[in-house]
Every structure is written in C-alpha cells, then in structure tokens.
Amino acid sequence: MEAGVAAVTAALDPSTVGAAALAADFRVERAGYQLTAALSAEPGEVVAVMGPSGAGKSTLLGAIAGFVPLAAGHVTLAGRIVDRAKGPRVHVPAGRRGVVLLGQDPRLFPHLTARENVAFGQRARGVKRALARAEADEWLWRVGLDGLGDHRPSELSGGQQQRVAVARALATSPALVLLDEPLTSLDPETADGIRAMLHAQLTTAVIATHDAVDAVSLAQRLLVVEDGAVTQSGPVRDVLAAPATRFIAALAGLNRIDGFASGGAWSKGGVVIDAADAASRGIAQVDGAPLAAVFRPGSVTLARAEADTWTGALRIAPSARPGEWLARVERLEQTPAGVRVRVAEPAVAADLPVDAVAALGLAPGVPVWVWIDPADVRFQRLVDSRNDSHSTLPPR
C-alpha cells in the first residue's frame, strides 16, 4: 500500500502542476552497474525508452521520479531543479516533484472503490469530497469505465484495474507521467485497448517499453538504452529507419550487419554486398572504414545449395556474385505471415511463406544461398553511439 500512496502523492506538488517539461542528464552507480543518460521532454511530448532487459530503463525512470539517487548530473522539471548530485546538492523528495510513476502493477487501494481510488489524489490535496468524486467519475468515463465507480479492485479485471490506475495518476494533473512497461502483463486485446486510451489521454510522459508498437503509437521521440548507456535517440521514425545497433534494427524489423567498406561496397569475411543508392555508395568509398548494411528480411532471397551438407556445399560452391553468399540455416521462427529463417555468418533473417520453406526443405544446418538485391540495401557509417548520447557528464 505504501507504494500505492507514493505513486499518487508523487503528483501532489501544486507548484509544478501544468508545467510539464523535463531536462535530465545524470549518472547512476550501483555495485557492478552504471547508467548514464541524457533526455528531455517538451510540454505535451511523449518519449519512449526502449532497451534489452537489464539495460536500465526502470532505473532511468526511478531516477527521474526521485526513487533512485544520482551519482552525478541533474534532473530538472518545468525549469526547477529537483535533483542535483553536486554543487550544491539538491534533492526534492519523490512525493513533491509533480511526477507520477505507474508500473505493471496498478497498486490500487483494495479497500477503496474505483471512484475513491481515482479521487484519492484530489482529496489528499484538500479538494472537497463531492468535487473530488465528481472529477473521479469524469476520469473514469475518459478511460472507458463509466458506471464502474462503485466497484472495488477485486471486482475488476486486470485491464480495468490498469485503467483505474491511469485515471488516478492523471486526475492529479501531474507535470510528468512515467510509465514503466504498464502493458506487459496484459493480454494483447486488453493492451491494445489501454494503448488507445493512453494515446488519447497522455500529455507529457516518458514510457519505458519493450514493444515497438508502444513507441510508434504513443511517442514522438525514442530513446534507446543498452548496457547502461544511450545508444540512439531522436524522432521515432528516424531511429527505426536508421538503427544504430543490431538491437534497434531488430526492434524495427530490419537486418543490420556490421562490416567494412571495400571498393564502394560492404564486405566482411568474404561476403560482399552492394547498395544501389548514391548516398550509400558515397559513404562506402573509404576502404576499411567501418560500415553497416541495413535491409528488410522480406527482401532476402534464399535458394537451396547444391549439396545437403555444409562441407559438400563448400566443395562445389561456385563463385558468388555480389550480394550472394553461402550460409547455413540456424533456426526457423513462426511469424504471423509465414516463417522467419535465420542464417549464420553473417547473421541475417529472411521472411518466407510457409509453402516456400517447405518446398526448399529448410531446416537447421541446411546450406543455402543467400541473396539481397542492391536496390534493397542501405549503408550506414559505424560510430560509437555510446559516445553520442548528448550527455555533458565527464566519463567515469
């Protein structure tokens, strides 16, 4: 219950209500772990934070909310410094920041009705009971729970409880809403409904998620955290269109393989890939320069090799044309549209219809020819994205 109180009272500082802007640049240090991040949110903007499990998404939100101490840097809300590690030290308690943090667990008060849960924040602020209850009913209507105000949490489904939690958070007019994977524990249909509701109701927010659908449907900007550092940030469309790491490429449903420029093409381990567009050819002119090739799994063509074994295929393999190489099937994955075939060296995914996979007789270990049309390939310069996180903090 204490966590539930914290989640609500974190939005009760009247001095910050309606300000809704974030600027943060900080470092968090724990035993064997470090997170360095810089991010901002303009009034009315939603920023999505994505990354692998353990990358630091929840730690990032906890630092902004005031639950995780800073080792360096600052957090500013609506032009007001609420956390500064040094010179002079500032730390506004979580309950006075004008921020609300909502996670996977709705953390509703079990002894209160849905209406009373939503009205709790207003009542704690001193709003009269009748007005707070009326505003609670308005918020329950906004989140699609009209008529369920008298129900206690135990009488509501998991999705309905999450809607009550969102209504309770937003009813206090927080300066900033922090959402920590709030849809993870819900079934797809319920998650879609709450996602649509959040799209309609959110103002300024930072949402940590593992689902690219959340980023595309809810956010204007995307921040990616990997291994305790920001690896890419920018408008959602720009980040997903030009992924800086393999993880981001996977989020965007793209292949991204790292290699080197060679003769205006991409090359690594004897594999050569061409790109047809002038911009890609232009950045591949410096031989030996680090280079990434990006293309869609649906653009990859697979053909069964002339031999059934890898050593046999190697013995009779002809010289490959640019964009074509011999590889082994690593695994097959079911997709809504067919099968995703993953091959190794380099690691590439190809999307094929089920009947095509059956006709080729594909299975783990089978040698195949992989080919990608240069028209479907884009090159990107390889840079150390961890040194481009816009943080002004000195390296540790």
Side-chain angles (χ1 to χ4, degrees):
M1 183 170 303
E2 291 180 358
V5 173
V8 177
T9 57
L12 300 183
D13 184 353
S15 68
T16 61
V17 171
L22 164 71
D25 187 356
F26 58 81
R27 181 167 60 241
V28 171
E29 295 177 357
R30 294 175 175 173
Y33 174 79
Q34 178 177 296
L35 167 69
T36 302
L39 72 158
S40 63
E42 297 301 321
E45 184 177 41
V46 177
V47 178
V49 179
M50 302 190 72
S53 297
K57 301 186 296 295
S58 295
T59 299
L60 184 149
L61 295 189
I64 296 172
F67 298 117
V68 176
L70 305 186
H74 71 274
V75 175
T76 301
L77 294 168
R80 171 193 177 200
I81 295 178
V82 296
D83 219 335
R84 184 167 56 201
K86 298 177 181 178
R89 179 76 170 96
V90 176
H91 181 76
V92 176
R96 305 300 299 175
R97 293 196 178 193
V99 174
V100 61
L101 174 61
L102 178 63
Q104 298 177 32
D105 186 346
R107 298 188 183 277
L108 301 177
F109 301 113
H111 62 290
L112 300 181
T113 65
R115 179 184 298 107
E116 290 167 338
N117 264 283
V118 177
F120 177 85
Q122 296 283 16
R123 292 287 291 147
R125 188 182 291 172
V127 176
K128 292 185 177 180
R129 178 181 176 86
L131 178 57
R133 288 169 62 88
E135 292 190 5
D137 282 335
E138 168 69 17
W139 273 105
L140 289 172
W141 175 82
R142 290 189 187 185
V143 300
L145 296 179
D146 189 30
L148 297 181
D150 292 327
H151 289 64
R152 292 191 176 184
S154 60
E155 301 172 315
L156 302 174
S157 68
Q160 289 171 330
Q161 291 181 38
Q162 195 69 304
R163 287 173 182 263
V164 174
V166 171
R168 183 178 66 175
L170 298 181
T172 55
S173 301
L176 179 68
V177 177
L178 304 174
L179 301 170
D180 192 0
E181 302 199 18
L183 309 181
T184 298
S185 60
L186 303 176
D187 63 86
E189 184 176 354
T190 301
D192 285 343
I194 294 183
R195 190 178 289 115
M197 179 268 293
L198 289 171
H199 178 75
Q201 302 298 337
L202 282 181
T203 53
T204 308
V206 179
I207 175 169
T209 179
H210 70 281
D211 194 334
V213 175
D214 292 341
V216 171
S217 62
L218 297 175
Q220 291 80 52
R221 287 196 298 118
L222 175 59
L223 185 87
V224 182
V225 179
E226 300 178 65
D227 298 324
V230 175
T231 53
Q232 193 170 5
S233 64
V236 176
R237 177 181 295 183
D238 293 352
V239 172
L240 296 181
T245 69
R246 287 189 63 186
F247 172 79
I248 304 171
L251 289 178
L254 298 172
N255 286 300
R256 181 183 188 275
I257 51 177
D258 297 348
F260 302 92
S262 178
W266 179 98
S267 178
K268 186 177 182 181
V271 177
V272 178
I273 299 176
D274 280 335
D277 69 296
S280 291
R281 292 197 304 270
I283 65 174
Q285 294 305 310
V286 180
D287 285 356
L291 193 69
V294 179
F295 47 92
R296 299 185 180 280
S299 300
V300 180
T301 299
L302 297 183
R304 185 71 180 255
E306 294 82 353
D308 292 332
T309 65
W310 180 246
T311 54
L314 288 176
R315 281 197 298 266
I316 64 175
S319 299
R321 54 179 167 165
E324 184 178 55
W325 67 94
L326 189 65
R328 277 181 291 188
V329 174
E330 193 170 57
R331 65 182 185 275
L332 308 179
E333 300 171 356
Q334 185 72 47
T335 70
V339 179
R340 176 158 290 182
V341 182
R342 294 192 181 273
V343 302
E345 301 302 329
V348 167
D351 285 345
L352 301 178
V354 175
D355 58 346
V357 172
L360 291 170
L362 299 184
V366 169
V368 292
W369 284 105
V370 183
W371 185 74
I372 176 71
D373 190 326
D376 296 322
V377 180
R378 296 293 180 272
F379 293 155
Q380 295 175 358
R381 292 186 179 90
L382 282 179
V383 296
D384 186 352
S385 55
R386 287 169 175 77
N387 293 330
D388 191 31
S389 63
H390 307 293
S391 173
T392 60
L393 298 178
R396 180 65 177 170

